[in-house]
Amino acid sequence: MYERYEIPIQLASPPKEAPRRFQVIRGEDCIHCGTCVTACPYGVHLKQEADARLMALPEDDLCVGCQRCVMECPVGVLDIGVHPDFRAIGKGTFRPRVVTRIWDEAASGRIPVSGAGYRGPFVQPGFDAIWTDMSEIVRPTRDGIHGREYISTAVDLGRKPPYLTWEDDEPFPPILEIPVPFLLNPPGAIGRGLEPLVARAAAELGTYAILEASDVRGENGHVIPRFAAEEEVDWDLLDGARAVEVDDAGDGLATYHAIKEARPDLVAFLRMPLRFDAREAYADRIRAGVDVLHLYADPHGREIGPEETRFIAPVLRDLDQYLVEEGLRDEVTILASGGVVASEHVPKALLCGADAVGLDTTYLVALGWNGNPEGGLPSPIRTQWGVQRITNWANACRDQLLEIMGAMGIRDARRMAGEIGRAMFHEDLEREFMALFPGGNGHG
Amino acid sequence: MVEAEPLRVVSAPSYIWRTVNKYAVEILPDACIDCGICAQVCPYDVYEMKPGLVHISAPKSSNCIGPHNCEGQSFFCVDNCPTDAIRVGENAYYEDLGDDRWPADLITSTWYMSETGQLPPPGIESRIGDSGGGFDRLHFVFPEDPEPVEEVDTSLDLNRRPWGPRIRTPIPIYGAAMSYGSVSLNVMLSRIRAAKAWGTFCSTGEGGYPEALIPYADHVITQVATGLFGVSEASIQRAPIVEIKYAQGAKPGLGGHLLADKNTPDVARIREAVEKTSLFSPFPFHSVYSVEDHKKHVDWLRSVNPDALISVKVSTPVDVDMVAVGSYYAGTNILNLDGGYGGTGAAPDIAKKNIAMPIEFAIPKVHRFLEGEGIRDEIVLMASGGLRTAYDVAKAIALGADGCVIGTAELVALNCTRCGNCERGRGCQHGIATTDPELVPLIPADFGAQRIYNMYHAWRLQWVDLLTRLGLESFRDLRGRYDLLRYEGAIL
């Protein structure tokens, strides 16, 4: 029977010590008149409980930064500034607004909505340098969001034969359908010990968690064990599994084929570092029958390699183009990971050529990490809270994916992969723009 | 309702509040002897000795140009004070006001212009923001020896078709769509009165046409959007310009959303909807699935009001140039391109940056494509979505637009601090983006109208100065003049 895919969301408040956005400063010359108490409807300014003649310290975690108390203070002793803790949140990929947005999504499970227009820089490196398309006139995909017509966010992982055969000795290759176009990667060093929690979150979402084979405990239909290249395959771990991942390094490809041979029912992922220079190696592996290529970039989305590296988005785009030219793209599933962090990164990575993405740092942020390499996770993390934070984030992410797809008039996430024509790269737009001016390149 | 008097520049300080200032001027009360020397020396009117009073008034920090601009000058108050009673310093939290697109300087300079109708004191940037791209990295190249200009014409023609009414506005802008419900009636009245005083227009947005606007009907653009809230034959027939909204730049392809708290009984009545429910404006128009349907739409409005100009508001997708051509052939007079960085009462954060291209890239794309099709001079191209200043307007025109549509700047003129809480019911603590009966009176309509009028007065001073320095007589001569611009490239 048809079942509508829904992610159960529930409020999961952030840990108490979460940094605040604003600090409210009350100068020494305060006359305790209480004007700010009536000016602020958010309850930042209150009188002291013990002595109502005096003002209490401002509750700056409630402040929204509207400045009305500052403007109304008769003696001008109030100031609102950005809280130093907010500024201390990570940089680059994990800049404060990215991190705090993930926290909000993980708390409520809903799409962050606000008034006023866009407030940030014109463009930033990475996924921020891409705009997605929209259609002025489309069939009513948008209504799918309100329930009248369905937009599917499901994607398939596995090998896709270019045509069907009716020979008995060629069974249809296994396919893994996931309801959202993302999987959860292993938590890495910062999240050591969170593996069972991540596996549960994946099960809750109906997607899969890739975990190092040595971390896989007990039965869980939503775990994909990963074997390092030299690791001996523990066949017991594959009981009940539907997919497996093997690292390509060293002799990995032999292991990969050995597993495929023994367990043709498994969808097998081959994990390789993302590097455009390696495209011929990718093509060879696809020709050799690899189901899923898991291409990983570094946590900031840079290619892996000693020389100059590019960002994952243009690399995926160029790789997609290359595989199309080689006539190979449609046969293989590309799973991309590294640098895919915020909700808007997911549709953008798909448009650049990924069929699905692997997430890791995102859920660490959802669990409270502030994106700083020195920062850690709050401890202890209760499993139920942690799972709820991850599923909340996933729901907000999926809802935003629906918004982006609705605006484009795309009803099926499977159709997103490699739709380069529906993405605008800053690089391309700026090149065209620059050419307008007689000075040409006006850098500097 | 009594018609407002035609406005002229009158000082309109925000009389309830102090503002957030770049510099902090303090007079130490114990040291000050009220000699009044500071009031005599300061050329920026920071100090005032009111006639008949013996004490110096509280210093007006918003006029101060800062100690680093004043030090060493003969009029530096601190040096002139005989009792060393004056302290002038930076406001340590000033930079925390605003954001990259609207940094503190743009906000306070807009406040200053709205209060005085004049350009802000030196040292406060009123032309560009800090976003590191687009308009903020685009600069005019002034000729060394410009053609002398006798009189500068800042007007804009809103109909370039060979048929239909001729409408010309004295300034190259009109007011953007803001619905009743997203903003208060006082704010709508403020905007429309200022528009009338300037001989331009202001759009109702899609929240219907409140009766209080009827006396200003000649200056009201009414909007027909996907929700069709409050759209009636009468309102269309009353309007000199009817705007069809396909998409909004701040949330392209997402429709609109008025949260339940702001949907008061009166808002619901005007919108012909149920009060205290969230109102969704769907995406897209369910009567328009093709460009032929679009023509049907334009024809429908034209048959209801044959005297109206038809404006079409679209976002900036990949094929925005094709959209423009399609719209031209459907018979529209005005094409309003709404770029992604514009304002909104409520929108998903993801939509504000990630969907559809910035207006800077879209304008030349459309302008040149229409030129190539040989139809550029029959359609009016209006740009909106992230145009904050008089200079942004001029740059948009130099990129190929005929004029611009201004929204957020008018709200900043009304004291908006860009805190971004407009979507909450009682969110706007400045009484702008709210329908809460306690907050709405914070912006009386005559005060608001004066502030917006003053801002455009200051903008016009900047436009006249700019065109003169470029040696151009009108904005018509500036359109598409890429040779007068220099682009530095975005900071990545």
Side-chain angles (χ1 to χ4, degrees):
Chain A
M1 208 183 82
Y2 168 76
E3 250 182 74
R4 192 185 164 87
Y5 177 69
E6 262 174 89
I7 301 173
I9 58 168
Q10 205 183 336
L11 191 69
S13 304
K16 275 260 184 304
E17 63 272 20
R20 301 141 185 209
R21 176 86 178 75
F22 296 104
Q23 57 174 341
V24 182
I25 300 107
R26 185 196 303 285
E28 286 168 11
D29 298 335
C30 173
I31 55 171
H32 302 274
C33 67
T35 305
C36 47
V37 179
T38 43
C40 180
Y42 299 103
V44 174
H45 300 286
L46 291 173
K47 295 271 186 170
Q48 281 183 18
E49 242 172 70
D51 185 351
R53 291 170 301 179
L54 298 175
M55 293 299 303
L57 284 174
E59 303 271 347
D60 39 17
D61 51 331
L62 301 173
C63 178
V64 300
C66 78
Q67 304 272 357
R68 184 157 163 208
C69 59
V70 176
M71 291 179 164
E72 222 161 305
C73 174
V75 284
V77 295
L78 290 174
D79 279 301
I80 293 177
V82 175
H83 202 284
D85 290 356
F86 184 81
R87 292 194 204 275
I89 298 173
K91 296 196 169 51
T93 311
F94 304 101
R95 53 184 169 271
R97 281 197 192 282
V98 171
V99 169
T100 51
R101 180 117 47 90
I102 293 174
W103 285 342
D104 290 346
E105 291 165 338
S108 72
R110 296 182 191 282
I111 305 179
V113 172
S114 64
Y118 173 62
R119 328 165 73 81
F122 185 81
V123 63
Q124 286 173 98
F127 283 112
D128 207 55
I130 301 172
W131 290 278
T132 65
D133 191 24
M134 58 81 66
S135 294
E136 309 290 346
I137 298 171
V138 291
R139 292 191 44 221
T141 38
R142 178 60 169 77
D143 283 345
I145 294 157
H146 303 305
R148 270 181 277 168
E149 208 166 329
Y150 194 63
I151 306 182
S152 169
T153 55
V155 295
D156 300 318
L157 308 173
R159 193 170 179 83
K160 290 145 197 167
Y163 47 84
L164 291 174
T165 61
W166 277 265
E167 308 294 331
D168 284 346
D169 56 343
E170 273 212 45
F172 198 82
I175 285 280
L176 206 56
E177 186 187 291
I178 49 174
V180 282
F182 48 82
L183 294 99
L184 305 180
N185 278 338
I190 295 173
R192 204 86 199 92
L194 287 175
E195 291 79 8
L197 188 155
V198 175
R200 261 193 58 188
E204 197 76 27
L205 293 169
T207 183
Y208 292 82
I210 303 172
L211 296 179
E212 308 286 352
S214 54
D215 293 324
V216 178
R217 307 263 181 281
E219 287 282 333
N220 186 329
H222 286 272
V223 168
I224 298 175
R226 173 198 287 170
F227 294 100
E230 314 302 331
E231 195 173 344
E232 197 161 316
V233 177
D234 177 353
W235 295 98
D236 291 345
L237 280 182
L238 297 178
D239 284 345
R242 296 196 54 200
V244 62
E245 179 166 291
V246 179
D247 206 293
D248 179 72
D251 225 7
L253 194 59
T255 315
Y256 181 91
H257 285 303
I259 293 178
K260 285 286 287 181
E261 184 81 18
R263 291 288 306 272
D265 61 309
L266 293 180
V267 177
F269 298 20
L270 186 68
R271 182 170 182 264
M272 297 178 80
L274 176 73
R275 180 132 190 104
F276 189 62
D277 293 351
R279 59 192 178 280
E280 282 167 19
Y282 303 148
D284 288 344
R285 307 272 187 295
I286 297 168
R287 289 195 189 95
V290 166
D291 301 339
V292 178
L293 268 184
H294 181 177
L295 305 177
Y296 66 96
D298 82 0
H300 293 279
R302 308 301 300 186
E303 281 175 295
I304 308 287
E307 308 96 48
E308 199 182 314
T309 58
R310 287 197 296 160
F311 186 67
I312 184 169
V315 177
L316 284 175
R317 176 190 61 179
D318 295 350
L319 186 62
D320 186 79
Q321 193 62 40
Y322 168 78
L323 293 177
V324 168
E325 280 162 16
E326 294 292 309
L328 296 169
R329 178 62 187 92
D330 287 342
E331 292 184 37
V332 72
T333 298
I334 303 280
L335 170 66
S337 60
V340 183
V341 179
S343 292
E344 67 265 25
H345 297 174
V346 175
K348 288 178 178 178
L350 299 187
L351 289 175
C352 287
D355 290 287
V357 294
L359 302 174
D360 33 51
T361 44
T362 305
Y363 66 75
L364 295 176
V365 173
L367 295 174
W369 182 46
N370 71 358
N372 258 330
E374 309 87 59
L377 286 165
S379 130
I381 292 179
R382 285 187 303 113
T383 306
Q384 197 190 348
W385 177 85
V387 169
Q388 191 65 57
R389 293 280 287 186
I390 297 176
T391 50
N392 278 354
W393 180 83
N395 187 63
C397 173
R398 178 173 180 269
D399 279 352
Q400 291 173 79
L401 176 63
L402 290 176
E403 296 280 5
I404 298 245
M405 290 171 69
M408 282 196 286
I410 290 185
R411 275 200 256 193
D412 189 340
R414 295 174 180 92
R415 278 189 48 211
M416 298 274 281
E419 279 283 317
I420 290 298
R422 309 301 302 275
M424 295 175 265
F425 287 77
H426 174 258
E427 196 188 336
D428 301 338
L429 292 176
E430 190 176 59
R431 196 183 316 112
E432 248 176 71
F433 189 68
M434 197 75 97
L436 294 171
F437 309 105
N441 186 343
H443 276 286
Chain B
M1 163 124 355
V2 186
E3 287 231 354
E5 289 293 310
L7 296 171
R8 59 195 172 79
V9 173
V10 176
S11 168
S14 50
Y15 47 85
I16 313 176
W17 306 316
R18 67 185 69 235
T19 53
V20 180
N21 300 311
K22 188 165 190 168
Y23 303 106
V25 182
E26 197 189 352
I27 301 178
L28 306 177
D30 293 341
C32 179
I33 53 169
D34 292 308
C35 64
I37 290 176
C38 49
Q40 287 162 21
V41 294
C42 177
Y44 295 99
D45 297 333
V46 173
Y47 308 96
E48 192 186 1
M49 197 77 177
K50 288 215 170 77
L53 294 186
V54 292
H55 289 302
I56 192 102
S57 305
K60 205 165 166 52
S61 298
S62 60
N63 284 0
C64 179
I65 64 168
H68 55 277
N69 286 321
C70 240
E71 252 161 10
Q73 305 273 13
S74 60
F75 50 75
F76 187 35
C77 51
V78 174
D79 290 347
N80 280 292
C81 180
T83 57
D84 194 21
I86 296 176
R87 298 283 176 274
V88 181
E90 311 248 339
N91 173 359
Y93 301 100
Y94 177 72
E95 297 294 335
D96 291 349
L97 174 72
D99 48 71
D100 295 322
R101 291 205 59 81
W102 276 89
D105 265 13
L106 276 196
I107 294 181
T108 52
S109 66
T110 304
W111 287 344
Y112 186 94
M113 292 189 274
S114 313
E115 180 177 332
T116 63
Q118 305 300 322
L119 298 183
I124 295 186
E125 179 58 66
S126 65
R127 296 162 300 175
I128 59 170
D130 280 345
S131 75
F135 292 128
D136 293 343
R137 300 282 284 172
L138 200 57
H139 308 282
F140 280 104
V141 180
F142 294 100
E144 279 177 23
D145 193 12
E147 294 283 316
V149 180
E150 287 200 359
E151 201 180 342
V152 171
D153 174 9
T154 56
S155 70
L156 163 71
D157 294 310
L158 287 176
N159 183 14
R160 298 161 68 92
R161 297 274 189 177
W163 32 263
R166 306 283 109 189
I167 296 181
R168 174 173 280 197
T169 60
I171 46 176
I173 57 97
Y174 60 71
M178 284 182 217
S179 65
Y180 180 39
S182 76
V183 295
S184 72
L185 190 58
N186 280 8
V187 170
M188 290 187 95
L189 280 170
S190 303
R191 301 181 66 222
I192 193 65
R193 282 196 202 171
K196 182 184 157 107
W198 271 109
T200 184
F201 298 86
C202 181
S203 173
T204 58
E206 75 157 322
Y209 198 128
E211 294 85 349
L213 300 187
I214 294 176
Y216 308 95
D218 289 348
H219 298 276
V220 176
I221 300 172
T222 198
Q223 193 178 71
V224 177
T226 49
L228 297 175
F229 293 122
V231 172
S232 69
E233 221 168 64
S235 67
I236 292 171
Q237 283 168 349
R238 211 182 280 137
I241 301 175
V242 180
E243 178 174 85
I244 311 175
K245 185 187 90 173
Y246 282 90
Q248 182 181 342
K251 39 192 165 186
L254 270 65
H257 189 176
L258 184 75
L259 276 83
D261 282 351
K262 288 173 88 170
N263 183 12
T264 61
D266 199 42
V267 170
R269 183 181 61 80
I270 301 283
R271 292 194 178 216
E272 300 172 86
V274 179
E275 65 185 79
K276 292 291 166 200
T277 56
S278 281
L279 298 181
F280 288 93
S281 188
F283 177 80
F285 263 117
H286 291 313
S287 47
V288 182
Y289 290 164
S290 67
V291 72
E292 291 79 13
D293 287 346
H294 169 50
K295 178 164 185 346
K296 209 168 60 187
H297 228 189
V298 173
D299 291 346
W300 159 56
L301 290 172
R302 194 156 272 141
S303 69
V304 176
N305 182 355
D307 295 329
L309 300 183
I310 306 294
S311 161
V312 171
K313 179 173 173 179
V314 294
S315 184
T316 52
V318 170
D319 57 350
V320 59
D321 40 5
M322 300 301 290
V323 172
V325 172
S327 198
Y328 164 81
Y329 283 108
T332 55
N333 304 93
I334 300 168
L335 184 75
N336 178 358
L337 294 180
D338 197 20
Y341 295 170
T344 171
D349 286 344
I350 190 172
K352 292 183 192 169
K353 166 64 177 62
N354 299 298
I355 310 178
M357 71 176 95
I359 192 69
E360 290 91 330
F361 295 144
I363 299 168
K365 196 172 157 85
V366 171
H367 169 69
R368 286 153 60 88
F369 196 76
L370 293 174
E371 269 186 336
E373 294 287 303
I375 53 179
R376 178 66 187 91
D377 283 329
E378 283 186 70
I379 194 160
V380 175
L381 191 58
M382 298 294 283
S384 60
L387 297 137
R388 303 149 296 178
T389 66
Y391 269 70
D392 282 356
V393 170
K395 287 170 193 170
I397 293 173
L399 287 175
D402 289 288
C404 296
V405 183
I406 301 297
T408 303
E410 294 192 356
L411 300 189
V412 176
L414 299 181
N415 262 337
C416 167
T417 56
R418 296 264 308 156
C419 73
N421 295 292
C422 340
E423 85 287 0
R424 310 182 185 198
R426 295 208 59 185
C428 183
Q429 287 315 303
H430 304 289
I432 303 165
T434 182
T435 49
D436 187 286
E438 275 182 38
L439 295 169
V440 168
L442 290 174
I443 306 286
D446 47 356
F447 162 77
Q450 188 68 58
R451 296 272 295 190
I452 296 170
Y453 180 87
N454 287 356
M455 178 183 79
Y456 285 134
H457 185 269
W459 281 26
R460 191 165 181 282
L461 295 177
Q462 285 181 312
W463 287 328
V464 169
D465 165 68
L466 178 77
L467 288 173
T468 311
R469 283 157 63 205
L470 290 170
L472 299 174
E473 282 181 352
S474 79
F475 275 124
R476 278 172 281 276
D477 299 335
L478 179 62
R479 194 186 75 189
R481 287 292 300 273
Y482 303 109
D483 58 316
L484 297 177
L485 290 171
R486 179 174 60 89
Y487 178 59
E488 291 182 276
I491 302 170
L492 267 167

